Amino acid sequence: MIKFKNFSLKFLFILFSIIIFILVSAKSYSKTMFESISNNFLRLHIVANSDSTEDQMLKYQIRDSIIEYIAPFFENVTSKDEALKILNEHLNDIYNISCDIVKSNGLNYPINVSIGNFYFPTKKYSTITLPEGFYDALKIEIGNSDGQNWWCVMFPSLCIIDTNNCKFTDNSDEILRENLGIEEYSIITDSDKSKNFNIKFKLIELFENL
């Protein structure tokens, strides 16, 4: 009886150790994969004052003007660091453009423009799907920031190439292939995504939220 009890305890200890090892390995894998993915994207996040039609239209006006302004500076950008540098250099201009649009609409909403690391939900863009988590982004908050959000990717230049549809261009795809590992690229690319990569995508999301 004692031998059986000792065997049971050893078995439970080994089983517990295996479970812990699997969880630690999964967490480490997910962290590595997500960091590799997020480090290659720069996103845009605009929050409207409210969900009223007027405030939502204002949000889109600011979006279009900012993208139109910054697009020429991003034409030959090949790295996120370069894109971030450009945004920092033009942050005041982005703020002023946003304020001018607010004033031209006869409103006096305050504007907050910042570059930081912000949470984004899972989002599909053309042929890629980005897992939820924290990404570097340009964030523009209008007024009370109580309205619906608008998201897109600034680098690789999805929303700058096509504001309305966020088309993923061949050039953007090439940049991603050059900077992402084969596995990371396969995880976020929708085309021919296998069940195995769908599981890995969900695994990344799960551990990023723990």
Side-chain angles (χ1 to χ4, degrees), residues 130-145:
L130 297 182
E132 66 175 301
F134 286 83
Y135 294 79
D136 290 333
L138 168 66
K139 187 173 186 178
I140 302 174
E141 298 169 284
I142 308 168
N144 295 322
S145 304

Side-chain angles (χ1 to χ4, degrees), residues 36-205:
S36 181
I37 292 169
S38 63
N39 285 341
N40 283 282
F41 285 92
L42 175 62
R43 305 178 75 170
L44 173 61
H45 184 194
I46 303 178
V47 192
N49 177 67
S50 74
D51 285 336
S52 71
T53 300
E54 180 184 42
D55 286 342
Q56 287 298 309
M57 291 304 295
L58 177 66
K59 176 184 71 176
Y60 292 126
Q61 287 181 44
I62 290 175
R63 175 201 68 181
D64 292 344
S65 295
I66 295 305
I67 290 174
E68 181 182 4
Y69 168 74
I70 207 70
F73 301 104
F74 271 43
E75 282 184 358
N76 299 310
V77 171
T78 58
S79 74
K80 193 182 87 170
D81 287 342
E82 187 179 355
L84 277 170
K85 181 182 178 183
I86 290 171
L87 282 185
N88 276 294
E89 290 173 348
H90 296 275
L91 205 60
N92 286 335
D93 291 335
I94 292 171
Y95 171 79
N96 290 330
I97 289 170
S98 301
C99 289
D100 287 344
I101 293 172
V102 170
K103 291 177 182 177
S104 69
N105 280 270
L107 301 167
N108 61 351
Y109 298 151
I111 293 289
N112 183 50
V113 177
S114 59
I115 297 173
N117 195 247
F118 305 105
Y119 170 80
F120 287 80
T122 301
K123 188 71 176 176
K124 179 178 174 63
Y125 299 102
S126 187
T127 58
I128 67 168
T129 304
L130 297 182
E132 66 175 301
F134 286 83
Y135 294 79
D136 290 333
L138 168 66
K139 187 173 186 178
I140 302 174
E141 298 169 284
I142 308 168
N144 295 322
S145 304
D146 289 331
Q148 293 182 42
N149 300 268
W150 188 84
W151 297 281
C152 83
V153 175
M154 298 196 78
F155 178 85
S157 51
L158 306 186
C159 60
I160 289 178
I161 297 299
D162 190 328
T163 306
N164 295 318
N165 299 313
C166 293
K167 293 296 184 183
F168 195 52
T169 66
D170 291 338
N171 181 57
S172 298
D173 185 69
E174 184 179 343
I175 292 173
L176 272 188
R177 286 180 181 274
E178 290 175 354
N179 290 281
L180 284 177
I182 295 174
E183 187 161 10
E184 294 95 318
Y185 180 83
S186 299
I187 287 172
I188 65 172
T189 304
D190 291 345
S191 57
D192 300 325
K193 183 181 282 187
S194 68
K195 183 179 180 181
N196 183 40
F197 282 115
N198 278 321
I199 292 173
K200 290 179 178 180
F201 186 95
K202 294 299 181 184
L203 190 67
I204 291 173
E205 290 196 314

